[in-house]
Structure formats: C-alpha cells, structure tokens
Amino acid sequence: MILFGSSVSPFVRKVLMFAAEKGITLESRSMSPHSDDPQFVAASPFGKIPALQDGDYTLSDSTAIVSYLEAKYPATPLLPLEAKARGKAIWFEEYADTVMFPVATVIFVNRVLLPMRKVPGDAAKANELVAQQIPLLFSYLESVMPAQGFLVGDSISIGDISITCMLINLAYSDTQIDASKYPKLAAYYERLSARPSVSGLIAAERKWLGV
Ligand SMILES: N[C@@H](CCC(=O)N[C@@H](CS)C(=O)NCC(=O)O)C(=O)O
C-alpha cells in the first residue's frame, strides 16, 4: 500500500501514526498537494494529501483512509467498538481536523513553511492566532484531558492520534503548551509524542523543516 503525501501535513502524519500503531506497513511516498504525479492524481481527485493506493483501489482523505485500514485490519482497534467510546473518539478526530486545523495551519504556514521557502510569512497573523485562539483550543483540551492514559478508554484511539498530530505542528511553530496553565495537556503531549509510532517521524520532520 502506498501513502502519498508529506508527513509534515498533520493529516498525512495521522495516517502514518495510525498504521504504525496497528503494525501495518505503508510505503510512504512524499508528495506535495496538487502534484502532477499520475499515480497521485489518480488517487487524489482534488489534489489533497494524504491519498492511498492499495492495488487498483485508491482513496483520498485521512478519515476515509483510516476507516478503510481499520476495516481491513481489525486487530488492535483504534476506532473503539463500544458505541459511546466510538462517538467520543470520532469527536476528538473532528475537533482536531475541523477546529484545531484551521488555526494550526495558518500558524504553521506563516511561522515555518513560508520562511523555510524563503518567503516572508505573515508573522502578525500567526501571533494574533496564538494570542487569541490557542488559549481557547488548549483550555478545552485541558478540560477533557485525563491525568494519565488516553482521551477515550484504556488504549490509544483515533482521537488521540488526530489531536497529537495537530499539536506536533503547533510545537514546530513555536507554540508550546505552557505546563503551568495546561498541566494535563502538556503531560499528555509528552507521553503521546514519545510513542514509537510517531517519534521517528518527528525527528525526521524537525530535521527537514529546520525547527
Ligand atoms: N479532510 C482532509 C484534509 C486534507 C488536507 O486539507 N490536506 C492539505 C495539506 S495539510 C492539502 O492537501 N491542502 C491542499 C488543498 O487544500 O488544496 C483529510 O483529512 O485528509
């Protein structure tokens, strides 16, 4: 199975971490959005990353891809089987993808990605989001965070993976979690980002991004 997309995208990293937690081997093929690579174009009709190719089957969108992988490899479930737990895990995935991402991506692009490409970023816009939006995002997470373990149940789920992958992009963007204000969130991020399923990616991405 080939996964197209650069892992500095939190959506691509989500799929790579998900696969690693399940022990699934994916061939990770680094790809920018809107690449004209014919295999990628066939897998991603709107040019977004990630996209998957599994033989003659193709799929775009991280949520669709992890759902496919979960159904194909049901061992070590990362989408909880119990109804209430499943609902909460998907909520945290959606919170990461639709509430955190619009904020995190503007900060990441302006503080890290554009400067890496020698294009000036809008530092004022990033600073404004860090000052005004990040406290709202982190306060909510702190309010739902357990002192130990995971967001839902006794084991890691798609909710943890999605939230962690979004926090990683914020960490690259000099948006650290202040442990004096958000102690449970800070400890959670330390635990989750140290997992072997993602720690190697973080080291490689930091090197590539120069952060
Ligand atoms: N909902 C999609 C979002 C994917 C997405 O927006 N990826 C970004 C990179 S982080 C992208 O490809 N952007 C290019 C574009 O939106 O045209 C998913 O979960 O995969």
Side-chain angles (χ1 to χ4, degrees), residues 57-89:
Y57 180 78
T58 58
L59 199 57
S60 171
D61 189 282
S62 63
T63 301
I65 295 168
V66 298
S67 302
Y68 172 71
L69 295 176
E70 183 78 3
K72 185 166 176 171
Y73 302 97
T76 319
L78 296 178
L79 273 62
L81 300 172
E82 191 275 324
K84 289 181 177 170
R86 167 83 62 103
K88 286 291 181 189

Side-chain angles (χ1 to χ4, degrees), residues 135-152:
L136 303 177
L137 298 179
F138 285 2
S139 296
Y140 170 69
L141 288 174
E142 181 70 14
S143 76
V144 292
M145 204 46 77
Q148 305 281 334
F150 304 98
L151 280 164
V152 181

Side-chain angles (χ1 to χ4, degrees), residues 6 8-12 14-15 32-34 40 44 46-51 60-65 93 97-98 101 105 108 169:
S6 162
V8 299
S9 155
F11 299 111
V12 175
K14 182 212 288 189
V15 177
S32 297
H34 306 292
F40 172 66
S44 183
F46 295 96
K48 294 198 183 217
I49 56 173
S60 171
D61 189 282
S62 63
T63 301
I65 295 168
E93 180 185 15
D97 291 4
T98 66
F101 178 70
T105 192
F108 177 70
N169 280 69

